[in-house]
Amino acid sequence: MRSLIRPETILTLDDQDRVIANGAILINGTTIEQVLTAGELTALPGNDYTTVDAPGLVAMPGFVQTHVHLCQTLFRGLAEDVELLDWLQRRIFPLEAAHSPASMYASARAGLAELIRSGTTTIMDMGSVHHEEEVVRAVTESGIRAFLGKAMMDINDFHPALRESTKNALDSTLKQAQLWHGSANGRIRYAVAPRFVLSCSDSLLKEAHAMTRSFPGMLFQTHASENRHELQAVRARCGMDNVAYFEALGILSDVTCLTHCVWLNDREVDLLAERRARVLHCPSSNMKLGSGIAPVPRYLERGISVSLGADGAPCNNTLNMFQEMRLAALIQKPLHGPTVMPARTLLKLATAGGAAALGLEREIGSIASGKRADIILLDLSRLWNRPVSATADDLAVSIVHSCGPTDVHSAMVDGEWLYRDRVNLTIDMTAARHDASRELHALLSRAKIL
Ligand code: GUN
Ligand code: FE
């Protein structure tokens, strides 16, 4: 099954950062067989493919969001104007604890619809403690590419319903990894997810990290050094800072994905670089919860892997990558001047950077032959986002600073259209909307906090 997509412009974001006008992308099954220039296209032999004309559209690799919480999508707008520990203890934990299988599925599906419509084709999701199978079901049906894992918590004085014994957290995680790592034709992979230091014992953190060694390609995801009060509590318990503590536990490695990393001391930055741990940067969440500004230019200078994510709907309150790219740039400029974080850097973090963080750099993150066909089509012809020219710089500036979700025309993963001509093909939007409101209503009456 081959198809030939013919956009006006291909922004490859490959090693040479090629921009191809009037070329084409030949897709064979799940894979990009060839990326053709206009000249190569006229010489393309045979016609054993379907042609998909995409006049006026720009093709680029789909966005990779390395940190989201699909289980929180229903909680959008329900935890406003509070800082992290209150946000978690008063709002998010009780809401997560009130999930049923049906509300978990509705929450995941709502998040996935929004992610796909706004051009995200790969995610790493941190689930809740229970009902992870419903997240997997929604992810599988949606066609998106995902790393996912249930949140592990063996310490939680606020919501015992979200606390498990160390053994149960590890046993259920192991079972899930055996079931789902590599499922959905390889689109789903597992990432163990001890939630953050304050809800995890030392042995849970160490065993969870050790488990990744038994599964090739598995990752370890957690939150780290997000907020100053959180860090004070970490120091009180561990006698050191968060990332230093991970080093002491022996769990900093090249499978370690640390969300936030806002408050690191100098030695911890060295450790990230030495151990090749990854930083998952969530600028909207950091601003909205008043957490702080992650020193991303410094991480990039040190060659530390940085990628982007929207975090959860209740600390953002959207899941759109355009916003994360733009804010990741704007948040740094008042501190370091306007030359830091140019648009092309942001576009790389949002694609190849995400792919590299997930160990998928050979599979996704650019439009190149041999890579997976994870591609989005953008309409940059509108009055408000028309680039001056089709150079890589002008396109990047337009996409990062002027575009939004409504400019996404189509999205495919593994050669399958998930969203085409602004219509979701794998998610029934009417059903998703009805389910989301019904399930939120029922969940709120179970949670009894509002
Ligand atoms: N730290 C521990 N859990 C969470 C979460 O769900 N969201 C954020 N932003 N930080 C966390
Ligand atoms: Fe998070």
Side-chain angles (χ1 to χ4, degrees):
M1 233 188 28
R2 292 157 104 214
S3 59
L4 186 76
I5 307 180
R6 299 184 52 180
E8 183 174 308
T9 309
I10 304 169
L11 181 60
T12 60
L13 299 178
D14 64 4
D15 294 341
Q16 297 121 53
D17 251 342
R18 288 190 303 159
V19 177
I20 300 171
N22 304 312
I25 308 166
L26 184 61
I27 295 168
N28 191 346
T30 58
T31 307
I32 298 171
E33 184 174 318
Q34 218 183 329
V35 183
L36 302 115
T37 62
E40 289 164 342
L41 183 56
T42 49
L44 184 70
N47 57 358
D48 56 339
Y49 48 78
T50 331
T51 300
V52 179
D53 285 316
L57 301 179
V58 176
M60 66 168 279
F63 296 123
V64 180
Q65 291 207 38
T66 53
H67 185 70
V68 299
H69 298 259
L70 293 172
C71 67
Q72 295 174 5
T73 315
L74 291 187
F75 316 152
R76 191 190 318 259
L78 297 182
E80 295 299 298
D81 308 325
V82 284
E83 73 165 285
L84 177 69
L85 295 178
D86 283 340
W87 181 86
L88 281 171
Q89 290 158 6
R90 295 201 191 154
R91 298 283 165 176
I92 301 305
F93 287 161
L95 289 165
E96 280 189 27
H99 259 312
S100 68
S103 64
M104 183 62 87
Y105 177 74
S107 187
R109 191 161 66 151
L112 289 161
E114 183 184 355
L115 286 160
I116 292 166
R117 290 178 78 87
S118 53
T120 293
T121 54
T122 296
I123 55 171
M124 179 147 73
D125 181 65
M126 181 178 289
S128 187
V129 175
H130 306 294
H131 316 305
E132 184 65 16
E133 63 286 351
E134 296 297 326
V135 178
V136 174
R137 180 158 73 97
V139 164
T140 304
E141 289 170 1
S142 77
I144 205 166
R145 191 180 302 287
F147 273 83
L148 44 79
K150 64 166 268 175
M152 305 162 92
M153 293 198 263
D154 62 351
I155 300 173
N156 192 330
D157 295 337
F158 298 92
H159 287 278
L162 290 181
R163 184 178 61 213
E164 297 180 289
S165 68
T166 312
K167 182 173 185 314
N168 282 354
L170 288 164
D171 287 352
S172 54
T173 290
L174 180 62
K175 268 201 204 105
Q176 294 189 0
Q178 285 164 340
L179 269 179
W180 298 320
H181 189 55
S183 69
N185 296 323
R187 279 186 290 105
I188 293 182
R189 286 166 238 217
Y190 207 84
V192 297
R195 190 161 188 152
F196 70 148
V197 178
L198 297 182
S199 67
C200 298
S201 65
D202 296 358
S203 57
L204 181 63
L205 289 163
K206 284 201 275 199
E207 295 286 323
H209 187 266
M211 200 184 291
T212 62
R213 289 194 206 106
S214 317
F215 297 84
M218 190 191 274
L219 297 173
F220 173 100
Q221 54 169 333
T222 191
H223 297 91
S225 282
E226 176 174 4
N227 165 291
R228 272 178 287 199
H229 293 123
E230 171 202 25
L231 193 56
Q232 272 171 9
V234 172
R235 283 180 187 142
R237 181 181 120 197
C238 311
M240 60 184 99
D241 284 355
N242 198 336
V243 172
Y245 192 57
F246 287 166
E247 169 70 3
L249 292 176
I251 61 169
L252 271 191
S253 75
D254 63 356
V255 298
T256 306
C257 298
L258 302 178
T259 303
H260 303 305
C261 292
V262 175
W263 301 103
L264 266 55
N265 65 44
D266 291 347
R267 176 167 167 262
E268 291 182 306
V269 177
D270 291 343
L271 285 170
L272 286 185
E274 276 164 35
R275 301 289 181 219
R276 303 184 56 240
R278 284 95 214 266
V279 173
L280 318 182
H281 177 44
C282 302
S284 297
S285 164
N286 293 164
M287 284 194 250
K288 188 146 183 292
L289 295 174
S291 300
I293 301 176
V296 167
R298 193 166 162 214
Y299 295 153
L300 293 175
E301 267 167 37
R302 295 292 305 273
I304 295 166
S305 161
V306 177
S307 52
L308 302 175
D311 212 348
C315 58
N316 190 309
N317 296 3
T318 80
L319 302 178
N320 109 57
M321 189 60 135
F322 297 100
Q323 173 140 283
E324 297 315 306
M325 291 192 290
R326 177 163 153 81
L327 290 179
L330 297 190
I331 193 174
Q332 302 296 341
K333 289 178 188 279
L335 295 174
H336 305 288
T339 58
V340 295
M341 304 294 277
R344 277 171 81 167
T345 300
L346 271 307
L347 214 48
K348 284 278 185 185
L349 298 192
T351 53
L358 301 177
L360 299 181
E361 60 278 5
R362 286 200 299 273
E363 291 182 42
I364 58 167
S366 63
I367 296 184
S369 70
K371 284 210 162 166
R372 298 296 188 140
D374 288 11
I375 296 166
I376 59 175
L377 298 175
L378 303 179
D379 182 357
L380 302 193
S381 67
R382 300 185 187 188
L383 189 60
W384 57 85
N385 61 10
R386 189 189 295 264
V388 172
S389 74
T391 64
D393 273 329
D394 284 340
L395 288 165
V397 168
S398 183
I399 293 165
V400 170
H401 289 299
S402 313
C403 258
T406 55
D407 302 317
V408 178
H409 177 281
S410 296
M412 76 162 42
V413 171
D414 263 355
E416 294 283 341
W417 294 108
L418 311 186
Y419 185 64
R420 191 162 178 190
D421 247 325
R422 297 191 168 84
V423 177
N424 282 78
L425 300 184
T426 55
I427 294 174
D428 177 337
M429 292 299 283
T430 312
R433 209 168 45 239
H434 284 307
D435 285 1
S437 46
R438 185 190 64 237
E439 293 304 328
L440 174 59
H441 199 71
L443 183 143
L444 288 176
S445 60
R446 290 192 297 270
K448 298 192 185 71
I449 55 160
L450 298 177

